[in-house]
Amino acid sequence: MAEPRHRYSTVSLVLHWGIALLVAVQVGLITVHEATEGPMSRAMIDWHKSVGMTILVLTLGRIVWRLMNPAHPLPVEAPRWQNLLARTTHILFYVLLIALPLGGWAASSAGGRAVEWFGLFSWPALPVPLDKSLARTFIDLHGAGVKVLYVLLALHVAGALKHHFIDRDNILYRMLPILRRRP
C-alpha cells in the first residue's frame, strides 16, 4: 500500500501562502490609503484593486486545483464539531476570496471608475448601473465582508496553533514547509 501524502502539493502550498501574503498586502494598502490623501491615496486604491483581482484569479485557480487534488482528510480523532468548523471556515474563505474582489469590482463599476491591473490592462466594467449610491452599498458590503474575513483568519490561525501546540499532531506541518514532521 502506498504511503499517504503528508504535505500538500507545491502548487497548493504556493497558492495558499501566496493568497495569504496578498491578503496581508491588501490590509497594508488600504491602511496607507486611509492615512493619506491625493495621488498617494489614489495609487494605493489602484494597487488594492490590482491585488484584489489577482486574489480573485488565484482563488479561482485554487478551487480548480482543489477539485482536481482533494484535500487531505481531517483527523478522525477530532470531534465532529471541530471538523465541521474547519470545513465551514475553508468554504467561507473561498466564498469571501471571490466575493470581496467581485464586490470591489462592482463598486468601481457602479462608481464609473476603472479597474486596471497594475497599469497593464483594464478589466471590463461589470453590468451594474452607474449609481454612486449603489457603489457605496457595494463598498459597505465589501467592508463587512472584510470583517468576516478577519474572524475567519483568527479561527484559522487559532485552529492551526491548537493542532500544533495542544494536539501535537502534524496538521500544521502539511501547510507550513518550515516545520519538521512529528514522529
Side-chain angles (χ1 to χ4, degrees):
M1 181 162 79
E3 183 177 320
R5 293 177 300 150
H6 294 295
R7 282 206 197 264
Y8 280 97
S9 69
T10 301
V11 172
S12 294
L13 290 171
V14 168
L15 288 170
H16 177 271
W17 291 109
I19 291 169
L21 176 63
L22 291 175
V23 167
V25 166
Q26 288 293 69
V27 173
L29 289 170
I30 209 65
T31 301
V32 173
H33 159 71
E34 291 173 352
T36 60
E37 294 179 12
M40 173 68 118
S41 179
R42 185 80 243 146
M44 292 302 106
I45 284 297
D46 290 342
W47 278 82
H48 183 78
K49 290 178 185 182
S50 294
V51 173
M53 297 307 280
T54 304
I55 290 171
L56 174 63
V57 170
L58 290 176
T59 300
L60 293 172
R62 186 168 183 205
I63 290 169
V64 169
W65 182 260
R66 177 92 180 255
L67 291 172
M68 295 181 342
N69 301 275
H72 292 283
L74 294 171
V76 292
E77 61 277 0
R80 181 173 154 68
W81 69 268
Q82 285 182 12
N83 287 340
L84 181 61
L85 181 61
R87 285 282 185 238
T88 302
T89 299
H90 282 102
I91 289 168
L92 289 174
F93 266 132
Y94 288 122
V95 168
L96 284 171
L97 291 172
I98 292 170
L100 288 171
L102 286 177
W105 189 5
S108 290
S109 298
R113 295 189 176 264
V115 176
E116 292 191 19
W117 192 72
F118 299 108
L120 297 175
F121 64 88
S122 293
W123 292 80
L126 291 176
V128 297
L130 275 175
D131 181 339
K132 298 282 186 198
S133 176
L134 181 60
R136 172 65 7 213
T137 299
F138 282 130
I139 288 298
D140 291 344
L141 289 170
H142 187 76
V146 168
K147 290 176 183 164
V148 174
L149 183 66
Y150 289 159
V151 170
L152 290 177
L153 284 168
L155 282 171
H156 189 63
V157 170
L161 294 174
K162 176 206 166 282
H163 276 285
H164 189 70
F165 292 109
I166 295 172
D167 299 343
R168 301 189 58 75
D169 57 24
N170 284 303
I171 296 295
L172 186 57
Y173 162 82
R174 293 175 176 182
M175 283 305 274
L176 198 57
I178 62 171
L179 291 180
R180 284 197 245 188
R181 181 169 168 72
R182 289 191 166 122

